[in-house]
Amino acid sequence: MTALWFTLLIPFSSSVLLGLFGQHPAARRFNFQAAAAAFAASVWLAWTVLQNGPIGGSSDSAGSQFYIDSFNVYLIVLTAFVGASTALFSQPYMARELAAGHVTEKRLRLYHASYQGFLFTMQLALSTNNLGVLWVAMEGATLATVLLVSLYRTPQAIEAAWKYFIICGVGIALALFGTVLLYFAAAQVIPDPEQALLWSELARHSAELKPVVLAIAFVFLLVGYGTKVGLVPMHSWLPDAHSEGPTPMSAVLSGLLLNVALYALVRLKILTDGSLAAHPDAHDPHLAGYLMMGFGLLSFIVAGLFLHRQRDIKRLYSYSSIEHMGLMTFAFGLGGPLATFAALLHMTVHSLTKSAIFITVGHAAHIAGTQAMSNIRGLIRTQPAVGWGLLIGTVAISGFPPFGVFVSEFLLLTATIHSQPWFALPLLLGLGIAFAGLFRHLHPIVYGEQPEGQEGVAVNMWPVAVHLVLVLWLGLAIPGFLAHWFDQATILISGQGVL
Amino acid sequence: MLAFLPLYQQAILSLAAMILFTSFVLLAQNGVLAIIHVFAWQGLLVAVTTAFVAFDSGAGHLYFSALMTITLKVIFIPWLLHRLVRRLGIDRETHSVERPARVLMSAAALVVFCYYVAQPIQQYSAALTRNTIAISMSVVMLGMLMLITRRKAVSQVIGFMSLENGLFFAAVSATHGMPMFVELGIAFDVLVAAVIFGVFFFHIRDSIDSLDVGQLNRLAERDE
C-alpha cells in the first residue's frame, strides 16, 4: 500500500511544485527526477504484488478504493517507465524549443506541471477500484493535456486543442452516462451505495446485474472510452492533437493515454460479459465482444488506408497508433485466451515502440526544421543514430520478427484463424496496407538525398535504445514474471489461461 | 394517472419536463446573452429538482449536490461567460441557428428515440423517476445536437455544459446521485473545464480574429 501511495503522490506533488516554481531552470531536470522516482516506486509496487498477490479490493473501507491485480500492475510500471524515459528526452528537446523561441519560460512551467499532472491522472485511472474515480481521472487527463496541445499557440495548435477538448469532452461525457447506468444496475444488487461502483464488488456480483441495463451501459461506455482509445469514427481528434502538440506529449499520449482508455474499456467488458453470460436469453452473450471486434477492425483498416495519404510525419505515426489500438480492441473483442494474451502483450510492445518512434521523430523534425515529410530527407547520412532509430522503430512497429510486435500479431492471427477464420483475411490485408503505408514514406526520409547544409543536432538516444531493446527482448523471450501476469490477466478476462 | 402520484412527485415530473423544454429553447435561441441566461435557468431547474428528489427520498447528501449545482451552474459559469463575452465585446452578437426547423424536428425525434432506448431500463426504476431517465438522456442528446449545429465557440460551450446538466440529472434521477467524492470529482472537472474554455476563447480569437470555430478547418483530411 505504501508503494502505491508513492506511485500516486510523487507525480501529484511534483505537478503542484512545478506549477509553483516551474520557471526555475532546474525544473526541467526535476521533471525527469520526479518521473524516475515515480518509476522506482512503481517497481517497488510491482515487487510487492509479485510477492503478496493483489493489493486492495477488500471489503473494508480503507483498502477498497484501490485495486492492483495482474492486469493493471504491469500497466502501472509501463506508464511510469514511459513517463520517465520521455521526461529524459523532453529535457534537451524543450531546451531547444526554448532557445528557438517556440515557447517561453512561463509556458514551460505550464508544460511541466501538466506533464506530471497527466502522469498522475494515468496512474490514478489505472490503480483505482472505483469506476467513478476512473472516469474523473480520464477526464482529468484530457484537462491536463489540452493546454499542452495548444502550447505553441499557432492557429493549427489552437484548432487541434479545441477539437481535442470538444470531442474527448463529449466522448467522456457519454462514458459518464454509461457509468451512471452501471451504478443504477449495481444499486439493485449491492445495497451499500459506497460499494456499488467498486469494480471488485461489481465483478463479484456481475452475474446478478440486469443484462438489459448493462448492454445499454456498455454501448455508452464503448463510445465514450472508445473516443479516447481513438477508435474510428471517433478518432478525428487524435492525429491533430498528436501532430500539433510538443513531441514529448505525442509520445506519452500515444504510449499511455490510449492504453489506459483501452484498459478501462476491458475492465467494463469483463462486467458486461459476466452479466450477459448469466442471462443468455436477454442478449447475445458476446454482444460486447462483437461490438469491440467491429469497431476495432474498422479502425484498423481505415487508419491503415489513411497512412498512405499523410504529409506530416507525426500525423503518419498517429494514424499508426489508431491502427494498432484498433488491432488490440479487435483482439480483446475476439476473446479467448490466446487473443487476450496477444492483446495484453501488444499493449506493452506498442506502447514501448511508439513512444520510442515519437522521440526519434522529434529529433528528426529538429534536424530538418519541419514536420513535413517531403522536406525530411537522408537522415541516415546526416545523423546515423536518428536514421537507424527511426528505421528500426518502424520495422518493429510494422510487425517484423524478431520484435515483440511480431509475436503479438502472430498470436492474434493464430487465434483468429482458430476461432473466426474469415477475419484472418482483412487482418492480413490490413497489416500489408499499413506496412506499405509506413515504408513508402519512410524510405526517402531515411535513405533519400540529404539537403545541403543539413546538420545533426545534439540528441539523447538512450530512451529510444532502451525501449527498442526491451521490445526485442519481449520478441525473443518474455520474462517469467511478466508471462505470469499476462496469464493471470488472461484468466481474469477470458476465463482460462494459455500457459 | 399522474394525478394519483403524491404532490412532490408530480412536481418533480413537471420540473423534469421544464428542463427538457429549456434544452429546446437553448437549441433555438439566437442571442449570446439569452443563451447564457437560459442555461442558468436550466441549472436552477436541475438544482430545484434535485432538492425535491432529496426531500422525497430522504437522501440527505442530495441537498449538498443541489447547492453545488447552484453555485457552479447557476452562478459561477454564467457569471464567467457573461464576463468573458463582455470582455470579448460580443455581447450584442447573435448566433443565428441554421435551418432551425430541421434542428428542432430532429431534436423532437431524438427525444422519442431516447424514450425508446430507455424503455427496458425504466421497468427497474422506482415509480418516482420512471420518466426522468429518458428525459435526462434526451437532455444529453440535445446538448450534443447543439454542439453539432452551432458554429460559435460560446454556444458550443453552452451545449457542452447543458450536456453536463443532463448527466447530473441522470445521476440524480436514476440513482439518487453518485457517491459523494465521485460527485465532487465531477464538479471539480466541470469547474476546470469551464476555466480552460475561457482561456480558449482568447486563444481562438487571437488566432482567427473571431469566435467562429467553423473557420477552424486547417487540419481536416482533404484531397489536394
Side-chain angles (χ1 to χ4, degrees):
Chain A
M1 213 61 200
T2 330
L4 177 63
W5 285 118
F6 273 110
T7 315
L8 287 173
L9 285 179
I10 290 173
F12 179 73
S13 45
S14 359
S15 169
V16 175
L17 275 178
L18 284 166
L20 294 173
F21 309 108
Q23 67 273 56
H24 197 273
R28 284 196 291 277
R29 211 166 339 118
F30 178 71
N31 187 39
F32 166 65
Q33 285 159 348
F39 173 55
S42 75
V43 171
W44 178 20
L45 175 69
W47 178 253
T48 326
V49 172
L50 197 63
Q51 297 296 314
N52 309 332
I55 294 180
S58 53
S59 308
D60 65 284
S61 58
S64 64
Q65 290 302 325
F66 293 98
Y67 184 51
I68 316 284
D69 63 0
S70 323
F71 185 20
N72 53 11
V73 66
Y74 80 92
L75 285 171
I76 289 175
V77 178
L78 183 69
T79 300
F81 175 69
V82 174
S85 61
T86 309
L88 182 64
F89 153 70
S90 128
Q91 225 173 305
Y93 184 88
M94 290 322 278
R96 216 173 302 135
E97 294 288 287
L98 186 65
H102 292 156
V103 288
T104 57
E105 290 278 359
K106 219 174 121 197
R107 282 194 210 149
L108 269 190
R109 183 173 81 177
L110 173 74
Y111 166 80
H112 285 125
S114 301
Y115 188 89
Q116 292 291 336
F118 172 72
L119 288 185
F120 166 68
T121 56
M122 289 291 91
Q123 298 291 21
L124 182 64
L126 284 172
S127 57
T128 184
N129 190 19
N130 189 318
L131 295 175
V133 175
L134 171 70
W135 184 87
V136 171
M138 289 302 289
E139 169 78 359
T142 314
L143 298 174
T145 45
V146 69
L147 287 178
L148 286 186
V149 173
S150 68
L151 194 73
Y152 295 142
R153 300 283 195 277
T154 58
Q156 284 88 346
I158 303 277
E159 176 183 342
W162 182 259
K163 249 178 167 175
Y164 176 44
F165 202 8
I166 293 285
I167 296 179
C168 279
V170 171
I172 207 83
L174 292 180
L176 181 60
F177 197 83
T179 310
V180 169
L181 289 179
L182 186 63
Y183 184 53
F184 170 69
Q188 294 164 355
V189 180
I190 303 164
D192 180 3
E194 295 297 323
Q195 304 259 323
L197 267 180
L198 298 185
W199 187 87
S200 51
E201 285 297 311
L202 286 166
R204 208 167 293 148
H205 295 281
S206 67
E208 302 158 44
L209 298 173
K210 292 275 180 291
V212 264
V213 184
L214 264 266
I216 297 177
F218 184 76
V219 171
F220 276 99
L221 291 162
L222 175 67
V223 174
Y225 288 126
T227 308
K228 289 228 125 168
V229 179
L231 296 179
V232 175
M234 295 87 75
H235 68 289
S236 61
W237 64 272
L238 194 147
D240 297 354
H242 282 55
S243 62
E244 298 306 325
T247 304
M249 214 55 233
S250 322
V252 287
L253 281 181
S254 233
L256 307 179
L257 177 72
L258 310 184
N259 259 2
V260 175
L262 185 61
Y263 158 83
L265 206 51
V266 175
R267 282 272 185 209
L268 293 158
K269 177 178 182 275
I270 298 173
L271 299 180
T272 314
D273 279 350
S275 165
L276 294 190
H279 309 82
D281 45 323
H283 277 289
D284 190 317
H286 297 292
L287 177 79
Y290 288 146
L291 282 171
M292 284 177 79
M293 276 167 76
F295 273 105
L297 202 60
L298 183 70
S299 315
F300 176 65
I301 300 285
V302 170
L305 289 170
F306 267 114
L307 281 176
H308 286 262
R309 43 184 300 173
Q310 297 309 312
R311 280 179 295 278
D312 181 304
I313 189 163
K314 277 161 83 177
R315 286 183 82 86
L316 178 79
Y317 286 105
S318 13
Y319 272 104
S320 156
S321 290
I322 300 178
E323 182 220 336
H324 283 274
M325 294 321 286
L327 199 63
M328 291 172 224
T329 311
F330 174 81
F332 278 122
L334 191 64
L338 198 57
T340 308
F341 190 92
L344 295 168
L345 177 62
H346 202 92
M347 276 171 104
T348 316
V349 288
H350 171 258
S351 167
L352 288 170
T353 320
K354 196 47 72 62
S355 42
I357 288 179
F358 269 112
I359 291 175
T360 324
V361 162
H363 290 315
H366 268 172
I367 292 173
T370 173
Q371 286 178 205
M373 282 188 285
S374 52
N375 295 330
I376 310 177
R377 288 289 179 261
L379 284 182
I380 213 156
R381 250 164 259 161
T382 311
Q383 193 154 15
V386 177
W388 278 108
L390 196 60
L391 184 65
I392 297 174
T394 312
V395 164
I397 206 75
S398 313
F400 275 94
F403 291 99
V405 182
F406 169 75
V407 178
S408 55
E409 285 179 354
F410 185 76
L411 285 176
L412 172 60
L413 211 55
T414 316
T416 312
I417 292 171
H418 197 71
S419 55
Q420 309 267 2
W422 285 105
F423 279 108
L425 281 179
L427 276 190
L428 279 172
L429 193 69
L431 289 174
I433 293 174
F435 162 74
L438 283 174
F439 271 83
R440 68 182 278 187
H441 296 299
L442 183 78
H443 194 265
I445 288 178
V446 175
Y447 290 112
E449 198 66 36
Q450 62 168 331
E452 275 183 42
Q454 177 166 287
E455 284 173 18
V457 291
V459 296
N460 183 355
M461 291 302 277
W462 275 109
V464 178
V466 172
H467 282 209
L468 291 178
V469 165
L470 281 175
V471 174
L472 183 65
W473 184 20
L474 287 174
L476 296 173
I478 302 173
F481 65 94
L482 195 60
H484 169 73
W485 279 337
F486 284 160
D487 199 47
Q488 291 292 314
T490 306
I491 294 172
L492 178 74
I493 297 166
S494 71
Q496 61 192 89
V498 283
L499 296 184
Chain B
M1 158 127 180
L2 281 181
F4 295 112
L5 289 173
L7 204 56
Y8 276 107
Q9 306 197 1
Q10 289 187 36
I12 289 170
L13 286 177
S14 322
L15 282 167
M18 280 163 76
I19 292 171
L20 185 61
F21 176 66
T22 50
S23 269
F24 274 93
V25 176
L26 279 176
L27 271 176
Q29 195 60 259
N30 284 324
V32 182
L33 289 180
I35 295 181
I36 297 174
H37 292 158
V38 174
F39 169 72
W41 278 107
Q42 187 178 51
L44 187 66
L45 285 169
V46 170
V48 172
T49 318
T50 310
F52 272 125
V53 173
F55 183 82
D56 194 83
S57 67
H61 70 278
L62 278 183
Y63 286 116
F64 183 73
S65 306
L67 203 65
M68 214 158 61
T69 310
I70 290 191
T71 337
L72 199 61
K73 300 246 179 75
V74 185
I75 299 171
F76 178 71
I77 293 178
W79 171 80
L80 183 78
L81 287 171
H82 236 277
R83 219 175 69 116
L84 288 172
V85 160
R86 217 168 297 132
R87 270 179 59 191
L88 289 162
I90 51 170
D91 46 344
R92 295 268 163 264
E93 222 171 77
T94 52
H95 295 176
S96 61
V97 189
E98 286 165 39
R99 304 177 198 283
R102 204 180 285 180
V103 170
L104 288 175
M105 287 305 282
S106 31
L110 272 178
V111 174
V112 175
F113 174 72
C114 289
Y115 264 89
Y116 171 73
V117 173
Q119 203 80 52
I121 306 175
Q122 296 191 351
Q123 54 183 315
Y124 302 114
S125 69
L128 160 67
T129 53
R130 194 148 287 177
N131 277 295
T132 48
I133 295 178
I135 288 185
S136 61
M137 203 189 279
S138 309
V139 174
V140 171
M141 291 294 169
L142 295 193
M144 277 174 83
L145 186 65
M146 185 167 173
L147 265 170
I148 297 168
T149 52
R150 299 299 181 124
R151 288 275 165 270
K152 299 285 166 103
V154 180
S155 330
Q156 287 198 346
V157 169
I158 296 275
F160 187 83
M161 290 293 167
S162 149
L163 194 162
E164 191 70 41
N165 269 345
L167 291 173
F168 178 78
F169 188 50
V172 170
S173 57
T175 57
H176 297 166
M178 306 284 264
M180 201 61 234
F181 63 95
V182 174
E183 218 155 82
L184 281 175
I186 295 172
F188 176 73
D189 278 351
V190 171
L191 182 68
V192 177
V195 173
I196 294 183
F197 272 129
V199 175
F200 259 105
F201 288 162
F202 289 96
H203 290 177
I204 293 177
R205 198 197 44 178
D206 290 346
S207 93
I208 58 173
D209 272 334
S210 90
L211 281 177
D212 186 351
V213 289
Q215 292 178 23
L216 292 176
N217 55 6
R218 289 183 175 83
L219 292 172
E221 295 287 343
R222 65 169 87 84
D223 296 311
E224 296 287 295

